[in-house]
Protein backbone atom coordinates (compact mmCIF):
# COMPACT_ATOMS: atom_id res chain seq x y z
CA UNK A 1 0.00 0.00 0.00
CA UNK A 2 1.18 3.52 -0.81
CA UNK A 3 -0.08 6.64 0.94
CA UNK A 4 0.75 10.07 -0.45
CA UNK A 5 -0.11 13.51 0.88
CA UNK A 6 1.90 16.41 -0.54
CA UNK A 7 1.55 20.19 -0.35
CA UNK A 8 3.99 22.50 -2.09
CA UNK A 9 4.00 25.96 -3.67
CA UNK A 10 5.66 27.21 -6.85
CA UNK A 11 4.86 30.91 -7.05
CA UNK A 12 1.20 31.14 -8.06
CA UNK A 13 0.87 27.35 -8.48
CA UNK A 14 0.17 25.14 -5.50
CA UNK A 15 0.14 21.35 -5.30
CA UNK A 16 -2.18 19.85 -2.70
CA UNK A 17 -2.71 16.17 -3.51
CA UNK A 18 -3.58 13.17 -1.35
CA UNK A 19 -4.39 9.57 -2.32
CA UNK A 20 -3.85 5.93 -1.40
CA UNK A 21 -3.00 2.98 -3.67
CA UNK A 22 -3.90 -0.46 -2.36
CA UNK A 23 -2.55 -2.84 -5.03
CA UNK A 24 0.35 -3.36 -7.44
CA UNK A 25 0.09 -2.56 -11.15
CA UNK A 26 0.04 0.70 -13.09
CA UNK A 27 -1.65 3.75 -11.65
CA UNK A 28 -1.90 6.48 -14.27
CA UNK A 29 -1.36 10.06 -13.13
CA UNK A 30 -3.42 11.74 -15.81
CA UNK A 31 -4.17 15.36 -16.54
CA UNK A 32 -3.25 18.40 -18.64
CA UNK A 33 0.23 19.89 -18.76
CA UNK A 34 0.95 21.97 -15.68
CA UNK A 35 -1.41 20.02 -13.42
CA UNK A 36 1.36 18.87 -11.07
CA UNK A 37 1.97 15.29 -12.25
CA UNK A 38 5.77 15.44 -12.50
CA UNK A 39 6.03 17.54 -9.32
CA UNK A 40 4.12 14.82 -7.51
CA UNK A 41 6.34 11.94 -8.68
CA UNK A 42 9.44 14.02 -7.92
CA UNK A 43 8.16 14.35 -4.36
CA UNK A 44 7.54 10.59 -4.17
CA UNK A 45 11.06 9.92 -5.48
CA UNK A 46 12.62 12.39 -3.04
CA UNK A 47 13.95 14.66 -5.80
CA UNK A 48 11.63 17.38 -4.48
CA UNK A 49 11.36 18.08 -0.77
CA UNK A 50 7.80 19.44 -0.34
CA UNK A 51 6.80 22.13 2.09
CA UNK A 52 4.46 19.75 3.85
CA UNK A 53 3.54 16.11 3.42
CA UNK A 54 3.66 12.45 4.34
CA UNK A 55 4.58 9.52 2.07
CA UNK A 56 4.42 5.89 3.19
CA UNK A 57 5.38 2.94 0.96
CA UNK A 58 4.55 -0.57 2.15
CA UNK A 59 4.54 0.57 5.77
CA UNK A 60 7.87 2.45 5.49
CA UNK A 61 7.66 6.19 6.18
CA UNK A 62 9.65 8.01 3.49
CA UNK A 63 8.49 11.52 4.30
CA UNK A 64 6.80 13.05 7.29
CA UNK A 65 7.44 16.76 7.54
CA UNK A 66 5.59 16.96 10.85
CA UNK A 67 8.11 14.57 12.43
CA UNK A 68 11.17 15.71 10.48
CA UNK A 69 11.46 12.45 8.47
CA UNK A 70 13.01 12.68 4.98
CA UNK A 71 14.53 9.54 3.47
CA UNK A 72 16.98 10.58 0.70
CA UNK A 73 16.25 9.46 -2.88
CA UNK A 74 18.95 6.78 -3.05
CA UNK A 75 17.57 5.04 0.06
CA UNK A 76 13.94 5.01 -1.09
CA UNK A 77 14.31 1.94 -3.38
CA UNK A 78 12.48 3.56 -6.25
CA UNK A 79 13.16 3.24 -9.95
CA UNK A 80 12.62 6.41 -11.99
CA UNK A 81 12.29 6.39 -15.79
CA UNK A 82 12.51 9.92 -17.19
CA UNK A 83 11.04 11.13 -20.45
CA UNK A 84 14.51 11.72 -21.92
CA UNK A 85 15.84 8.31 -20.63
CA UNK A 86 19.09 9.89 -19.27
CA UNK A 87 21.34 7.04 -20.40
CA UNK A 88 25.11 7.51 -20.11
CA UNK A 89 26.30 8.10 -23.70
CA UNK A 90 29.88 6.87 -23.07
CA UNK A 91 28.69 3.50 -21.70
CA UNK A 92 27.44 0.44 -23.55
CA UNK A 93 23.90 -0.75 -22.91
CA UNK A 94 25.24 -3.48 -20.66
CA UNK A 95 27.21 -0.99 -18.57
CA UNK A 96 24.20 1.33 -18.35
CA UNK A 97 22.20 -1.61 -17.01
CA UNK A 98 24.92 -2.67 -14.58
CA UNK A 99 25.14 0.90 -13.28
CA UNK A 100 21.60 0.56 -11.94
CA UNK A 101 22.39 -2.93 -10.64
CA UNK A 102 25.58 -1.85 -8.80
CA UNK A 103 23.78 1.02 -7.03
CA UNK A 104 20.92 -1.18 -5.82
CA UNK A 105 20.47 -1.50 -2.08
CA UNK A 106 19.38 -5.11 -2.70
CA UNK A 107 21.13 -6.48 -5.79
CA UNK A 108 19.23 -8.61 -8.27
CA UNK A 109 20.56 -12.12 -8.77
CA UNK A 110 22.12 -13.20 -12.06
CA UNK A 111 18.88 -15.08 -12.78
CA UNK A 112 16.88 -11.89 -12.23
CA UNK A 113 19.31 -9.95 -14.43
CA UNK A 114 18.71 -12.47 -17.24
CA UNK A 115 14.94 -12.38 -16.68
CA UNK A 116 14.85 -8.60 -17.10
CA UNK A 117 16.95 -8.82 -20.26
CA UNK A 118 14.46 -11.32 -21.66
CA UNK A 119 11.40 -9.39 -20.47
CA UNK A 120 12.49 -6.23 -22.29
CA UNK A 121 14.26 -7.85 -25.24
CA UNK A 122 17.62 -6.29 -24.37
CA UNK A 123 20.03 -9.14 -25.08
CA UNK A 124 20.74 -8.06 -28.72
CA UNK A 125 21.48 -4.48 -27.59
CA UNK A 126 24.06 -5.11 -24.86
CA UNK A 127 27.20 -4.16 -26.84
CA UNK A 128 25.71 -1.02 -28.39
CA UNK A 129 25.87 2.57 -27.12
CA UNK A 130 22.87 4.89 -26.69
CA UNK A 131 23.73 6.94 -29.78
CA UNK A 132 23.08 3.88 -31.93
CA UNK A 133 19.68 3.07 -30.41
CA UNK A 134 16.21 4.06 -31.55
CA UNK A 135 13.95 5.99 -29.21
CA UNK A 136 12.02 2.86 -28.30
CA UNK A 137 15.23 0.91 -27.63
CA UNK A 138 16.50 3.70 -25.34
CA UNK A 139 13.22 3.58 -23.42
CA UNK A 140 13.56 -0.17 -22.93
CA UNK A 141 17.13 0.21 -21.66
CA UNK A 142 16.00 2.93 -19.23
CA UNK A 143 13.27 0.61 -17.98
CA UNK A 144 15.78 -2.21 -17.54
CA UNK A 145 18.20 0.01 -15.63
CA UNK A 146 15.41 1.13 -13.29
CA UNK A 147 14.27 -2.46 -12.68
CA UNK A 148 17.81 -3.65 -11.94
CA UNK A 149 17.94 -1.21 -9.05
CA UNK A 150 15.51 -3.67 -7.35
CA UNK A 151 12.88 -1.00 -6.72
CA UNK A 152 9.86 -1.42 -4.50
CA UNK A 153 8.09 1.23 -6.58
CA UNK A 154 8.56 2.29 -10.21
CA UNK A 155 7.98 5.86 -11.41
CA UNK A 156 7.56 6.52 -15.14
CA UNK A 157 7.35 10.16 -16.21
CA UNK A 158 5.81 10.21 -19.71
CA UNK A 159 8.18 7.49 -20.96
CA UNK A 160 6.65 7.49 -24.47
CA UNK A 161 6.17 11.25 -24.94
CA UNK A 162 9.27 11.67 -27.11
CA UNK A 163 8.38 8.75 -29.42
CA UNK A 164 6.43 8.79 -32.66
CA UNK A 165 3.41 6.53 -33.09
CA UNK A 166 5.44 3.70 -34.66
CA UNK A 167 7.96 3.66 -31.80
CA UNK A 168 5.14 3.81 -29.23
CA UNK A 169 3.58 0.75 -30.87
CA UNK A 170 6.93 -1.01 -30.55
CA UNK A 171 7.34 -0.39 -26.83
CA UNK A 172 3.75 -0.71 -25.56
CA UNK A 173 3.87 -4.54 -25.61
CA UNK A 174 7.01 -4.40 -23.42
CA UNK A 175 5.21 -2.14 -20.95
CA UNK A 176 2.31 -4.60 -20.89
CA UNK A 177 4.72 -7.45 -20.17
CA UNK A 178 6.39 -5.39 -17.46
CA UNK A 179 3.03 -4.57 -15.86
CA UNK A 180 1.98 -8.21 -15.83
CA UNK A 181 5.30 -9.79 -14.82
CA UNK A 182 6.91 -7.35 -12.38
CA UNK A 183 4.05 -7.22 -9.84
CA UNK A 184 5.35 -3.80 -8.75
CA UNK A 185 3.29 -0.73 -7.95
CA UNK A 186 3.97 1.78 -10.72
CA UNK A 187 3.03 5.43 -11.18
CA UNK A 188 2.75 6.30 -14.86
CA UNK A 189 2.62 10.01 -15.72
CA UNK A 190 0.84 10.70 -19.01
CA UNK A 191 -1.64 12.90 -20.80
CA UNK A 192 -2.26 10.19 -23.44
CA UNK A 193 -5.69 8.61 -23.05
CA UNK A 194 -4.67 5.73 -25.32
CA UNK A 195 -1.81 4.78 -22.97
CA UNK A 196 -4.16 4.94 -19.98
CA UNK A 197 -6.79 2.70 -21.59
CA UNK A 198 -4.20 0.14 -22.67
CA UNK A 199 -1.93 -0.02 -19.62
CA UNK A 200 -3.42 1.33 -16.40
CA UNK A 201 -5.47 -0.44 -13.76
CA UNK A 202 -6.13 2.63 -11.64
CA UNK A 203 -6.36 6.29 -12.56
CA UNK A 204 -5.78 9.52 -10.69
CA UNK A 205 -6.93 12.72 -12.39
CA UNK A 206 -4.89 15.81 -11.50
CA UNK A 207 -6.04 19.32 -12.40
CA UNK A 208 -4.64 22.57 -11.06
CA UNK A 209 -2.58 20.69 -8.47
CA UNK A 210 -5.57 18.85 -7.00
CA UNK A 211 -6.83 15.27 -7.22
CA UNK A 212 -10.16 15.60 -9.02
CA UNK A 213 -10.97 11.89 -9.37
CA UNK A 214 -9.50 8.51 -8.50
CA UNK A 215 -10.65 4.99 -9.23
CA UNK A 216 -10.54 1.93 -11.44
CA UNK A 217 -9.92 2.62 -15.14
CA UNK A 218 -12.84 0.37 -16.11
CA UNK A 219 -15.24 2.52 -14.09
CA UNK A 220 -13.86 6.00 -14.75
CA UNK A 221 -13.03 6.12 -18.46
CA UNK A 222 -16.56 5.40 -19.76
CA UNK A 223 -18.12 7.69 -17.13
CA UNK A 224 -19.66 10.86 -18.55
CA UNK A 225 -19.09 12.93 -15.41
CA UNK A 226 -15.42 11.92 -15.26
CA UNK A 227 -14.97 12.76 -18.94
CA UNK A 228 -16.51 16.18 -18.41
CA UNK A 229 -14.23 16.85 -15.43
CA UNK A 230 -11.14 15.65 -17.32
CA UNK A 231 -12.02 17.59 -20.47
CA UNK A 232 -11.88 14.46 -22.64
CA UNK A 233 -14.24 12.38 -24.71
CA UNK A 234 -15.31 9.28 -22.77
CA UNK A 235 -14.01 5.89 -23.85
CA UNK A 236 -16.55 3.60 -25.46
CA UNK A 237 -15.59 0.94 -22.93
CA UNK A 238 -12.60 -0.62 -21.20
CA UNK A 239 -13.28 -3.86 -19.35
CA UNK A 240 -11.91 -7.24 -18.35
CA UNK A 241 -12.83 -10.43 -20.20
CA UNK A 242 -11.66 -14.03 -20.42
CA UNK A 243 -11.35 -16.41 -23.36
CA UNK A 244 -14.36 -18.75 -23.37
CA UNK A 245 -13.17 -20.74 -26.36
CA UNK A 246 -12.85 -21.01 -30.15
CA UNK A 247 -15.76 -21.42 -32.55
CA UNK A 248 -15.90 -23.77 -35.50
CA UNK A 249 -15.82 -20.81 -37.90
CA UNK A 250 -12.41 -19.67 -36.58
CA UNK A 251 -13.67 -16.86 -34.37
CA UNK A 252 -13.17 -16.68 -30.59
CA UNK A 253 -15.78 -16.17 -27.88
CA UNK A 254 -14.97 -13.97 -24.87
CA UNK A 255 -16.89 -13.90 -21.60
CA UNK A 256 -17.39 -10.65 -19.69
CA UNK A 257 -19.73 -9.22 -17.09
CA UNK A 258 -22.26 -8.24 -19.76
CA UNK A 259 -22.40 -11.56 -21.61
CA UNK A 260 -20.29 -12.70 -24.55
CA UNK A 261 -18.29 -11.04 -27.31
CA UNK A 262 -17.21 -12.64 -30.57
CA UNK A 263 -13.80 -11.56 -31.87
CA UNK A 264 -11.24 -12.74 -34.39
CA UNK A 265 -9.10 -15.80 -33.79
CA UNK A 266 -6.96 -15.51 -30.64
CA UNK A 267 -3.97 -17.60 -29.63
CA UNK A 268 -4.64 -17.32 -25.89
CA UNK A 269 -5.92 -20.46 -24.13
CA UNK A 270 -9.36 -20.88 -22.60
CA UNK A 271 -9.63 -18.87 -19.39
CA UNK A 272 -6.87 -16.39 -20.34
CA UNK A 273 -7.61 -12.87 -19.04
CA UNK A 274 -7.81 -10.02 -21.54
CA UNK A 275 -8.53 -6.33 -21.65
CA UNK A 276 -11.18 -5.25 -24.14
CA UNK A 277 -11.38 -1.72 -25.54
CA UNK A 278 -14.27 -0.31 -27.57
CA UNK A 279 -14.47 3.08 -29.25
CA UNK A 280 -17.63 5.10 -28.67
CA UNK A 281 -17.88 5.64 -32.44
CA UNK A 282 -17.97 1.85 -32.95
CA UNK A 283 -21.10 1.28 -30.84
CA UNK A 284 -24.39 1.75 -32.70
CA UNK A 285 -27.78 1.76 -30.96
CA UNK A 286 -31.08 0.11 -31.89
CA UNK A 287 -34.42 0.07 -30.06
CA UNK A 288 -35.18 -3.39 -31.46
CA UNK A 289 -32.79 -6.30 -31.84
CA UNK A 290 -31.60 -6.40 -35.46
CA UNK A 291 -32.03 -9.80 -37.12
CA UNK A 292 -30.18 -9.44 -40.43
CA UNK A 293 -26.96 -7.55 -39.82
CA UNK A 294 -23.26 -8.22 -40.36
CA UNK A 295 -22.16 -7.23 -36.85
CA UNK A 296 -21.34 -10.22 -34.63
CA UNK A 297 -21.97 -8.49 -31.30
CA UNK A 298 -25.41 -7.23 -30.29
CA UNK A 299 -25.67 -6.54 -26.56
CA UNK A 300 -28.80 -5.70 -24.56
CA UNK A 301 -28.21 -2.58 -22.45
CA UNK A 302 -29.95 0.15 -20.48
CA UNK A 303 -29.34 3.89 -20.88
CA UNK A 304 -28.01 5.46 -17.67
CA UNK A 305 -27.08 8.92 -18.91
CA UNK A 306 -27.00 11.26 -21.92
CA UNK A 307 -24.59 14.09 -22.67
CA UNK A 308 -25.58 16.35 -25.55
CA UNK A 309 -23.18 18.37 -27.67
CA UNK A 310 -23.86 20.68 -30.63
CA UNK A 311 -24.51 18.03 -33.27
CA UNK A 312 -23.70 14.83 -31.39
CA UNK A 313 -24.54 13.05 -28.16
CA UNK A 314 -22.83 10.54 -25.91
CA UNK A 315 -25.09 7.87 -24.48
CA UNK A 316 -23.92 6.02 -21.36
CA UNK A 317 -25.12 2.43 -21.10
CA UNK A 318 -25.00 -0.37 -18.59
CA UNK A 319 -24.52 -3.84 -20.03
CA UNK A 320 -24.56 -6.27 -17.12
CA UNK A 321 -22.00 -4.70 -14.80
CA UNK A 322 -20.03 -3.02 -17.61
CA UNK A 323 -20.28 0.65 -18.59
CA UNK A 324 -20.41 1.47 -22.31
CA UNK A 325 -20.62 4.79 -24.14
CA UNK A 326 -22.00 5.23 -27.64
CA UNK A 327 -21.42 8.41 -29.63
CA UNK A 328 -24.29 9.14 -32.02
CA UNK A 329 -25.70 12.22 -33.74
CA UNK A 330 -28.06 14.53 -31.88
CA UNK A 331 -30.57 13.87 -34.66
CA UNK A 332 -30.45 10.11 -33.99
CA UNK A 333 -30.87 10.71 -30.27
CA UNK A 334 -34.04 12.74 -30.89
CA UNK A 335 -35.41 10.39 -33.55
CA UNK A 336 -35.04 7.32 -31.32
CA UNK A 337 -36.27 9.13 -28.20
CA UNK A 338 -33.33 7.85 -26.16
CA UNK A 339 -33.31 8.92 -22.50
CA UNK A 340 -32.14 7.50 -19.17
CA UNK A 341 -33.98 4.23 -18.53
CA UNK A 342 -34.41 3.34 -22.22
CA UNK A 343 -33.75 -0.34 -22.92
CA UNK A 344 -32.05 -0.94 -26.24
CA UNK A 345 -29.36 -2.91 -28.06
CA UNK A 346 -25.72 -1.88 -28.46
CA UNK A 347 -24.28 -3.04 -31.78
CA UNK A 348 -20.49 -3.31 -31.56
CA UNK A 349 -18.73 -2.85 -34.89
CA UNK A 350 -15.09 -3.25 -33.80
CA UNK A 351 -13.29 -4.70 -30.77
CA UNK A 352 -9.66 -4.22 -29.65
CA UNK A 353 -8.26 -6.96 -27.41
CA UNK A 354 -5.06 -6.66 -25.35
CA UNK A 355 -3.42 -9.44 -23.33
CA UNK A 356 -3.56 -8.99 -19.58
CA UNK A 357 -2.41 -11.33 -16.85
Amino acid sequence: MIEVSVRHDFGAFSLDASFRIERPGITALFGPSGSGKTTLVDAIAGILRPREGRIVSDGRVLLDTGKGVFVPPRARRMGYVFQDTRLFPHMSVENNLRFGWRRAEVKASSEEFSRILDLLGLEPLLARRPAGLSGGEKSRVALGRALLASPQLLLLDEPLAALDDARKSDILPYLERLRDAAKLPMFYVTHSLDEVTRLAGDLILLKDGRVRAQGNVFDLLPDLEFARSAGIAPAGAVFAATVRGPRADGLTVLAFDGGELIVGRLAQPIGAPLRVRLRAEDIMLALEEPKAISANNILPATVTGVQRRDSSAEVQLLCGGVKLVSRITAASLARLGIAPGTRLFAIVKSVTVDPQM
Side-chain angles (χ1 to χ4, degrees):
M1 183 178 68
I2 300 161
E3 299 176 71
V4 175
S5 179
V6 172
R7 286 167 290 283
H8 197 71
D9 302 314
F10 293 92
F13 176 81
S14 67
L15 175 67
D16 188 350
S18 298
F19 57 85
R20 175 185 293 187
I21 301 298
E22 302 280 356
R23 58 178 180 163
I26 294 179
T27 296
L29 294 174
F30 179 75
S33 297
S35 59
K37 303 185 297 295
T38 296
T39 301
L40 187 55
V41 293
D42 283 350
I44 295 170
I47 296 172
L48 169 74
R49 190 164 186 163
R51 170 178 57 82
E52 185 180 349
R54 176 177 165 85
I55 298 172
V56 181
S57 176
D58 200 21
R60 184 184 179 210
V61 178
L62 304 176
L63 171 74
D64 190 329
T65 54
K67 296 183 178 179
V69 176
F70 178 80
V71 176
R74 185 170 176 178
R76 292 197 179 193
R77 291 198 61 189
M78 293 187 183
Y80 200 143
V81 179
F82 298 90
Q83 185 182 138
D84 59 3
T85 71
R86 303 193 184 183
L87 300 178
F88 298 111
H90 62 289
M91 291 184 182
S92 67
V93 166
E94 181 171 5
N95 287 335
N96 266 281
L97 294 171
R98 291 195 179 278
F99 179 87
W101 176 78
R102 284 193 299 270
R103 290 171 60 87
E105 185 176 319
V106 178
K107 286 186 171 56
S109 66
S110 57
E111 291 79 9
E112 179 68 4
F113 193 99
S114 297
R115 190 187 71 84
I116 290 171
L117 292 183
D118 181 63
L119 176 70
L120 296 173
L122 297 176
E123 186 74 39
L125 308 179
L126 291 178
R128 293 163 62 181
R129 292 197 175 187
L133 303 177
S134 69
E137 289 169 339
K138 289 177 182 176
S139 294
R140 282 156 49 198
V141 175
L143 280 169
R145 185 172 65 179
L147 288 173
L148 285 167
S150 299
Q152 294 178 329
L153 175 64
L154 193 59
L155 306 170
L156 301 101
D157 187 8
E158 301 202 56
L160 307 186
L163 305 181
D164 58 27
D165 288 343
R167 295 293 179 264
K168 286 182 182 180
S169 297
D170 288 342
I171 198 171
L172 276 167
Y174 291 99
L175 287 169
E176 288 172 331
R177 291 173 64 186
L178 173 61
R179 174 199 63 200
D180 297 339
K183 306 302 181 187
L184 279 174
M186 292 177 264
F187 287 114
Y188 189 98
V189 174
T190 184
H191 56 262
S192 167
L193 192 59
D194 185 62
E195 292 169 32
V196 174
T197 58
R198 183 160 173 178
L199 297 172
D202 292 293
L203 174 59
I204 294 171
L205 173 65
L206 275 177
K207 286 185 72 176
D208 302 320
R210 306 293 186 272
V211 174
R212 302 300 185 186
Q214 179 183 357
N216 186 284
V217 164
F218 299 160
D219 291 329
L220 286 183
L221 287 179
D223 186 86
L224 298 184
E225 289 303 317
F226 171 80
R228 184 183 294 113
S229 177
I232 60 173
V238 187
F239 56 87
T242 57
V243 176
R244 176 154 287 176
R247 298 201 328 178
D249 58 7
L251 300 176
T252 299
V253 179
L254 306 183
F256 75 109
D257 199 16
E260 292 185 343
L261 279 176
I262 299 169
V263 300
R265 183 190 298 271
L266 297 177
Q268 285 84 355
I270 292 174
L274 302 167
R275 175 178 295 212
V276 174
R277 295 182 286 142
L278 310 177
R279 297 194 323 146
E281 294 83 0
D282 289 334
I283 301 176
M284 297 174 60
L285 301 179
L287 296 180
E288 298 179 356
E289 183 175 6
K291 300 299 183 183
I293 191 170
S294 62
N296 288 317
N297 296 297
I298 302 170
L299 306 172
T302 301
V303 177
T304 57
V306 175
Q307 182 171 277
R308 294 174 178 82
R309 301 184 186 273
D310 291 340
S311 59
S312 64
E314 286 153 346
V315 181
Q316 187 164 291
L317 312 164
L318 194 61
C319 178
V322 170
K323 292 179 181 178
L324 309 177
V325 173
S326 171
R327 188 168 296 116
I328 61 176
T329 65
S332 295
L333 182 78
R335 176 169 50 83
L336 296 175
I338 292 173
T342 302
R343 295 180 179 273
L344 43 66
F345 293 89
I347 303 161
V348 180
K349 297 188 291 182
S350 179
V351 180
T352 300
V353 178
D354 303 315
Q356 178 163 314
M357 295 175 66

